[in-house]
């Protein structure tokens, strides 16, 4: 059940509704929707459900009390035109400003990470991505520096004043990763790891939820619902490519599916042009296309020396390639009514 309280609801009115739900034997999950309080609880008995909803609707401060009309009711818009803005550190994603999160696939060393992040920060990047825990198809592949990687990430990020995004793979690691990172990432392979989704839903951290390569849009949104029903609505959806019959690219970037997810939810939607294409010569074109499709941001792999990257070098932009991409991103963002004021290429890149 979804109970939305008015922005004008007093603390005592909110608490009265919470106590009313608890009186029925339920423990509501609390979330915030802008300046509104949202309470979520489950009631399997239909007659009890109808009775409780009727009583709650009549309580002071209540805007609506409804049964879910859609399978992903919590992440869906609660009123026409609703968009949610999610903060990662000091940046907001989902508002007018288009968000670019960039960085290497993996944390390899403090020196390498500092070289990349220092130059990204100079270009205006406010949030960086880098993996300390790396899932690998092969058990012999590089799987990250783990806790040491987290320590390096936090140290370098603090030095250059940027927010951090990193992946968490295991329920047991959520508290540790949350201690070091500003935003938790659920990778494509874990999109339907339901216990992990529930655990990040209990954290006071934003979550980037990547779409699985074989997932339909509704399955992706239901995965987001798992997070939201635990009380965490600070979710960013990320389209990172789906598996099709095409073999020329690593995956197929489904911008139509990403745009649909944005229509069906209140959540910001990002695109990952690096993993979706697997080719650095396609990353720029797909990045620009994502802006034009109305998405809210990008998650791009950038490395100071892509040829020496431990993982995914073929899909990783050099710093020079990333800088050259800023100008077309800005132009298209302006054309669709968004801004990209935070990024500022050097004069040489701006005129190339």
């Amino acid at each position: 059940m979804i109970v939305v309280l008015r922005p004008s609801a007093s603390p005592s009115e909110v608490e009265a509704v919470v106590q009313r739900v608890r009186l029925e034997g339920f423990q509501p999950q609390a979330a915030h929707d802008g300046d509104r309080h949202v309470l979520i609880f489950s009631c399997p008995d239909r007659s009890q459900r109808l009775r409780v909803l009727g009583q709650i609707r009549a309580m002071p401060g209540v805007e609506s009390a409804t049964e879910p009309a859609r399978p992903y009711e919590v992440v869906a818009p609660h009123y026409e035109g609703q968009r949610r803005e999610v903060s990662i550190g000091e940046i907001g994603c989902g508002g007018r400003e288009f968000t670019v999160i960039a960085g290497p696939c993996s944390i390899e060393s403090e020196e390498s990470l500092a070289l990349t992040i220092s130059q990204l920060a100079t270009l205006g990047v406010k949030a960086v991505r880098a993996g300390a825990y790396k899932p690998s198809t092969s058990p012999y592949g590089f799987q990250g520096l783990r806790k040491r990687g987290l320590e390096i990430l936090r140290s370098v990020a603090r030095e250059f004043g940027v927010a951090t995004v990193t992946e968490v793979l295991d329920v047991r690691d959520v508290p540790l990763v949350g201690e070091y990172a500003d935003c938790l990432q659920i990778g494509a392979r874990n999109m339907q790891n339901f216990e992990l989704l529930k655990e990040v839903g209990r954290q006071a951290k934003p979550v980037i939820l990547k779409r699985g390569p074989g997932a339909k849009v509704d399955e992706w949104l239901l995965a987001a619902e798992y997070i939201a029903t635990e009380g965490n609505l600070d979710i960013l959806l990320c389209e990172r490519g789906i598996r099709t019959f095409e073999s020329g690219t690593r995956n197929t970037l489904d911008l139509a599916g990403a745009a649909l997810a944005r229509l069906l939810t209140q959540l910001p939607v990002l695109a990952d042009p690096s993993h979706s294409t697997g080719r650095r010569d396609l990353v720029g074109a797909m990045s620009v296309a994502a802006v034009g499709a109305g998405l809210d941001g990008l998650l791009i792999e950038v490395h100071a020396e892509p040829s020496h990257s431990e993982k995914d070098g073929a899909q990783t932009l050099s710093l020079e390639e990333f800088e050259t991409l800023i100008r077309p991103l800005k132009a298209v963002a302006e054309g669709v009514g968004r801004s990209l004021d935070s990024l500022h290429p050097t004069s040489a890149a701006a005129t190339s």
Side-chain angles (χ1 to χ4, degrees):
M1 304 299 100
I2 313 290
V3 179
V4 180
L5 289 104
R6 297 189 182 96
S8 59
S10 68
S12 61
E13 289 173 336
V14 174
E15 181 60 24
V17 175
V18 170
Q19 293 304 323
R20 181 68 191 81
V21 173
R22 287 177 176 163
L23 188 62
E24 294 289 333
F26 308 120
Q27 183 59 45
Q29 298 290 339
H32 289 279
D33 176 13
D35 53 2
R36 291 171 168 83
H37 288 270
V38 179
L39 301 177
I40 306 156
F41 65 98
S42 177
C43 177
D45 184 272
R46 189 169 190 276
S47 61
Q48 183 185 20
R49 186 163 67 240
L50 294 175
R51 174 177 57 80
V52 171
L53 286 176
Q55 294 170 347
I56 290 176
R57 287 187 190 110
M59 296 183 70
V62 173
E63 183 173 286
S64 64
T66 59
E67 296 185 71
R70 293 157 289 196
Y72 33 83
E73 182 67 25
V74 181
V75 299
H78 298 150
Y79 51 86
E80 186 175 355
Q82 181 191 13
R83 301 302 315 162
R84 184 171 185 83
E85 186 168 343
V86 176
S87 295
I88 300 177
E90 295 183 0
I91 70 166
C93 185
R96 187 175 184 275
E97 176 76 6
F98 190 80
T99 303
V100 177
I101 302 168
C105 175
S106 306
I107 301 160
E108 300 155 351
S109 69
E110 187 164 0
E111 295 74 20
S112 173
L113 188 66
L115 179 61
T116 300
I117 289 182
S118 65
Q119 295 188 54
L120 288 174
T122 299
L123 295 171
V125 172
K126 304 297 185 186
V128 298
R129 51 139 304 137
Y133 293 80
K134 296 303 301 180
S136 181
T137 301
S138 167
Y140 308 111
F142 179 67
Q143 296 183 24
L145 300 182
R146 306 177 71 82
K147 183 180 180 182
R148 177 57 184 150
L150 294 174
E151 293 169 346
I152 291 171
L153 179 62
R154 184 169 68 179
S155 174
V156 173
R158 284 179 173 176
E159 180 180 357
F160 296 105
V162 294
T164 56
V165 175
T166 198
E167 184 171 355
V168 59
L169 300 179
D170 193 302
V171 171
R172 296 167 294 181
D173 295 325
V174 170
L176 176 66
V177 177
E179 180 184 343
Y180 285 89
D182 296 298
C183 178
L184 306 175
Q185 177 182 302
I186 301 297
R189 292 174 176 87
N190 272 321
M191 190 206 80
Q192 290 185 312
N193 183 336
F194 301 122
E195 293 307 314
L196 181 58
L197 298 177
K198 292 175 187 177
E199 187 61 31
V200 297
R202 300 180 189 118
Q203 310 304 309
K205 293 277 183 179
V207 178
I208 292 178
L209 176 64
K210 286 196 168 186
R211 181 183 180 184
K216 297 187 294 184
V217 170
D218 62 344
E219 293 169 331
W220 185 22
L221 302 188
L222 285 168
E225 191 82 352
Y226 265 94
I227 300 171
T229 53
E230 294 296 329
N232 187 354
L233 265 169
D234 286 335
I235 306 164
L236 304 96
L237 301 172
C238 182
E239 163 60 38
R240 57 87 75 189
I242 56 174
R243 182 166 292 179
T244 67
F245 55 79
E246 179 54 62
S247 59
T249 54
R250 180 172 179 175
N251 294 289
T252 296
L253 181 61
D254 182 15
L255 288 178
L260 177 61
R262 197 173 186 278
L263 285 175
L264 295 175
T265 73
Q266 56 178 289
L267 306 176
V269 181
L270 314 177
D272 178 347
S274 303
H275 284 91
S276 58
T277 64
R279 299 175 53 125
R280 75 166 63 93
D281 56 359
L282 292 177
V283 168
M286 293 301 96
S287 298
V288 171
V291 183
L295 304 191
D296 299 291
L298 296 169
L299 197 64
I300 303 181
E301 291 191 347
V302 181
H303 193 289
E305 298 178 290
S307 62
H308 295 142
S309 175
E310 286 280 0
K311 292 180 73 72
D312 294 343
Q315 67 191 35
T316 300
L317 296 183
S318 67
L319 287 157
E320 294 76 18
E321 289 167 330
F322 175 75
E323 186 172 2
T324 301
L325 178 59
I326 293 175
R327 184 177 59 83
L329 288 178
K330 281 177 169 285
V332 177
E334 183 178 350
V336 296
R338 306 294 282 270
S339 62
L340 193 50
D341 297 334
S342 59
L343 297 187
H344 38 78
T346 64
S347 56
T351 57
S352 64

